[in-house]
Amino acid sequence: MSLSKSESYASAGVDITAGYKGVQLMKPFVARTMTPGVCSDVGGFGGLFAPDLSGMTEPVLVSGTDGVGTKQRIAQLLDKHDTVGIDCVAMCVNDIICCGAKPLFFLDYIAIGKNIPEKVATLVSGVAEGCVQAGCALIGGETAEHPGTMAADDYDLAGFAVGIVDKPKVLDNKTMQVGDIVIALPSTGVHSNGFSLVRKVFDVEKADLHRYVPELGKTLGEALLTPTRIYVKQVLALMEQVEVRGVSHITGGGFYENIPRSIPDGLCARIRKSDVRVLPIFKLLQETGGIPERDMYNTFNMGVGMSLVVPAAQAEKALAVLKEQGEDAYVIGEIVAGGEKIELL
């Protein structure tokens, strides 16, 4: 038991004993994420990790950081906090997999108006689940109580991931060429981007988030809070069997901003909108908000959480490998010559 306790600090709104209790409550969740290489326990000043470098000729560390964004507000309105941690992990690890890196470890940061240990532990349980899905370890984090600057029920969740890849295996777009195929990995919904527009369209502060929506097959709140899909293990498995020439994580900015990031100059990803399996939540968003189609594709993932570019001769094999990994992947376009890096037809 810690001897640390400050009545003066508590009178200012910070209960440091709540932080200690939160660490104890979250330890079982963190334990689920332990992988070979973890050298430290939660609660120290730094998280230690010894990576396995066997078989690598030139190991390169790859880092990514992000937060959950205003999707957190949906969780707060529903008082359901066990899934946004998955989003936090996903937004980081889905980014670093785009260059072929395997995530090694993750750290989280929670800024909260009032530290309620059980609530913090629930948030961390989601982070731990995300780490399990990504195959990385949760080796540390920080919870900061912010009285007077945040409402008691408010919080902000962010994270940081580090991965590793052998330099000769780093994914770049140098080998991409005309005729390559663009494959879509389905999303689970809105994921964790565009929620400022989502909240405006559905007026979530006043809306009944518990209302069942037939076209969604669930309540509006459940649909909006569906966690971001983590694609790490699927893409790593694909890279073992297929030449992957480009990967894009479809986040804020949608198709128009993210797909071009993996396309080299002089080439263009020609996407057929008729082949995109648009999820019902996006149709509801567009109809409710009167949003132009281009803005939809320039804001949301539209049902495509990640796009991959592979040689045409390996496309069928790629789809088969992804199916084995539980992904109902499908073709949405091809690479053509062009000055613009993306074209939606």
Side-chain angles (χ1 to χ4, degrees):
M1 178 179 293
S2 172
L3 298 177
S4 178
K5 184 176 181 180
S6 171
E7 297 295 342
S8 298
Y9 209 3
S11 70
V14 177
D15 183 359
I16 54 178
T17 61
Y20 304 141
K21 182 179 180 182
V23 169
Q24 294 305 311
L25 290 175
M26 68 179 68
K27 279 189 174 182
F29 304 120
V30 175
R32 295 181 59 220
T33 75
M34 292 298 98
T35 62
V38 177
C39 303
S40 60
D41 195 8
V42 172
F45 287 101
L48 307 180
F49 193 92
D52 179 6
L53 305 180
S54 59
M56 292 191 178
T57 59
E58 196 173 352
V60 176
L61 295 179
V62 182
S63 60
T65 185
D66 209 336
V68 181
T70 62
K71 182 175 185 174
Q72 293 166 151
R73 185 58 184 156
I74 309 297
Q76 291 159 8
L77 289 168
L78 291 172
D79 194 24
K80 187 178 188 306
H81 312 287
D82 60 339
T83 62
V84 287
I86 301 174
D87 293 287
C88 188
V89 175
M91 297 310 295
C92 298
V93 298
N94 282 347
D95 275 356
I96 66 175
I97 194 62
C98 289
C99 63
K102 172 181 169 54
L104 296 175
F105 58 83
F106 190 86
L107 294 91
D108 61 12
Y109 175 80
I110 303 170
I112 194 165
K114 180 175 177 57
N115 190 341
I116 301 172
E118 293 78 9
K119 185 175 182 179
V120 170
T122 300
L123 284 166
V124 173
S125 74
V127 175
E129 173 59 27
C131 287
V132 169
Q133 291 183 23
C136 64
L138 177 57
I139 64 170
E142 176 71 15
T143 301
E145 201 166 12
H146 289 179
T149 62
M150 299 178 75
D153 291 336
D154 198 11
Y155 59 81
D156 189 30
L157 176 61
F160 177 84
V162 171
I164 194 166
V165 61
D166 200 11
K167 191 171 184 179
K169 295 183 179 180
V170 171
L171 290 181
D172 59 33
N173 54 24
K174 294 178 181 177
T175 60
M176 196 178 296
Q177 57 187 286
V178 171
D180 286 349
I181 300 299
V182 183
I183 292 175
L185 300 187
S187 73
T188 52
V190 187
H191 280 184
S192 192
N193 300 101
F195 268 85
S196 293
L197 181 54
V198 169
R199 291 183 300 111
K200 177 184 177 182
V201 168
F202 291 132
D203 194 10
V204 297
E205 300 295 328
K206 299 177 182 178
D208 179 9
L209 295 176
H210 297 284
R211 173 176 61 90
Y212 182 82
V213 183
E215 54 264 51
L216 301 180
K218 59 188 70 174
T219 68
L220 179 60
E222 287 172 335
L224 295 180
L225 209 53
T226 301
T228 305
R229 187 156 178 78
I230 292 175
Y231 301 100
V232 171
K233 294 178 180 179
Q234 303 92 307
V235 174
L236 287 174
L238 182 66
M239 288 172 55
E240 292 293 322
Q241 301 185 57
V242 171
E243 181 186 352
V244 179
R245 292 177 171 175
V247 181
S248 292
H249 182 200
I250 313 300
T251 56
F255 283 51
Y256 284 101
E257 181 175 320
N258 292 288
I259 292 180
R261 294 167 70 177
S262 67
I263 308 299
D265 292 341
L267 295 181
C268 172
R270 178 173 288 165
I271 307 298
R272 294 180 294 273
K273 288 184 288 186
S274 60
D275 288 341
V276 175
R277 300 173 187 172
V278 179
L279 295 176
I281 186 63
F282 297 111
K283 296 176 182 178
L284 184 63
L285 267 166
Q286 185 173 8
E287 293 168 1
T288 304
I291 304 172
E293 184 182 62
R294 193 191 189 286
D295 286 358
M296 291 294 296
Y297 279 92
N298 207 163
T299 306
F300 302 111
N301 68 64
M302 301 301 286
V304 179
M306 185 163 279
S307 68
L308 311 170
V309 177
V310 301
Q314 298 184 47
E316 289 301 320
K317 183 176 181 180
L319 292 173
V321 171
L322 289 166
K323 185 175 182 179
E324 291 173 357
Q325 296 298 317
E327 290 295 332
D328 187 19
Y330 60 99
V331 175
I332 56 171
E334 60 278 326
I335 301 299
V336 299
E340 300 293 334
K341 293 190 176 184
I342 186 169
E343 182 181 53
L344 271 66
L345 301 177

